[in-house]
Amino acid sequence: MKTAIRTTVLHKLAQQAQPASRFTELYQRLFATSVWQEAQVVAVTISLPHELPTQPMISQAQRQGKLVVIPRTFPHRELRFYPFTPKTRLAKTKFGVWEPRNGTALTNDQIDLVLVPGVAFCRCNHHRIGYGGGFYDRFLASFPGQTIALAQQDQVVEQSWTPDPFDVPVQQLLVEDEHG
C-alpha cells in the first residue's frame, strides 16, 4: 500500500508547479510555533523541484540567527547533518539531491528541530512515506529533538496504512491551507 500511495502522490506533485509564494501562510504558521522559535539549530533539506520549497525556511532561519544544517547520505542508509553556510560546497547526488561536501557533521543531540521531508503523510497518526530509502527513519529513531513536517494538500492521506516497525512518525504535521 505504501508503494501505491508513494506513486500516486509523486505523480500528482509532478503535475504542478511549486512556487514558494503559494506556501507563504504555511511558512508563517511554522515560524509562529514555539518549537521553531526556540530552536537554535534547524535541520532541513534543499528541496527538489516537485517538493515544497525549503529556501524560504532556510532564509528565515538564517535571518533569525539559527544554524541551518542539511543532510548528507552515507552507506548503510546513514544520514548526517552539516552546517549550511556561504562556505558550504554542494554536490548533486545520483538522485538529484544537493548535499554538502565539506564541514563537520553535528551529532543528533546538537540539532533542535528537524523539518522532515516526505512524499505522503497520514493525517491521523503523522506517519510518513518517504522515497523508500529509510534514511530519515533510521536517523529519527535516535533523534532526541523535535520534528515537524510541512505538507501540501496532495501529500496528505486520510486513510492510515500499516507502518513498518522502523517507521517513525513526525511529532507535528502542518498542512497547506489548514490550521491544526
Side-chain angles (χ1 to χ4, degrees), residues 45-97:
T45 61
I46 296 177
S47 54
L48 295 169
H50 65 275
E51 294 176 327
L52 186 137
T54 56
Q55 189 56 51
M57 295 178 279
I58 292 168
S59 297
Q60 179 70 11
Q62 290 171 334
R63 276 194 300 275
Q64 292 180 333
K66 300 177 188 300
L67 175 62
V68 174
V69 293
I70 58 174
R72 180 174 172 187
T73 55
F74 287 88
H76 311 292
R77 300 175 193 245
E78 183 185 359
L79 206 55
R80 293 184 205 154
F81 287 87
Y82 290 78
F84 185 46
T85 70
K87 294 180 180 180
T88 302
R89 289 192 320 273
L90 298 173
K92 198 178 260 195
T93 69
K94 64 181 178 181
F95 301 108
V97 177

Side-chain angles (χ1 to χ4, degrees), residues 128-141:
R128 58 181 277 285
I129 296 174
Y131 290 94
F135 287 91
Y136 269 88
D137 288 313
R138 279 180 175 72
F139 176 83
L140 294 174

Side-chain angles (χ1 to χ4, degrees), residues 85-158:
T85 70
K87 294 180 180 180
T88 302
R89 289 192 320 273
L90 298 173
K92 198 178 260 195
T93 69
K94 64 181 178 181
F95 301 108
V97 177
W98 289 100
E99 292 187 345
R101 291 296 173 213
N102 63 324
T104 303
L106 275 69
T107 59
N108 291 10
D109 62 352
Q110 292 176 300
I111 301 170
D112 300 313
L113 171 62
V114 175
L115 300 175
V116 183
V119 174
F121 300 90
C122 180
R123 186 183 307 278
C124 61
N125 60 19
H126 297 181
H127 272 283
R128 58 181 277 285
I129 296 174
Y131 290 94
F135 287 91
Y136 269 88
D137 288 313
R138 279 180 175 72
F139 176 83
L140 294 174
S142 63
F143 176 64
Q146 300 292 310
T147 59
I148 296 179
L150 277 67
Q152 302 171 53
Q153 286 289 351
D154 286 341
Q155 293 179 279
V156 178
V157 179
E158 298 299 333

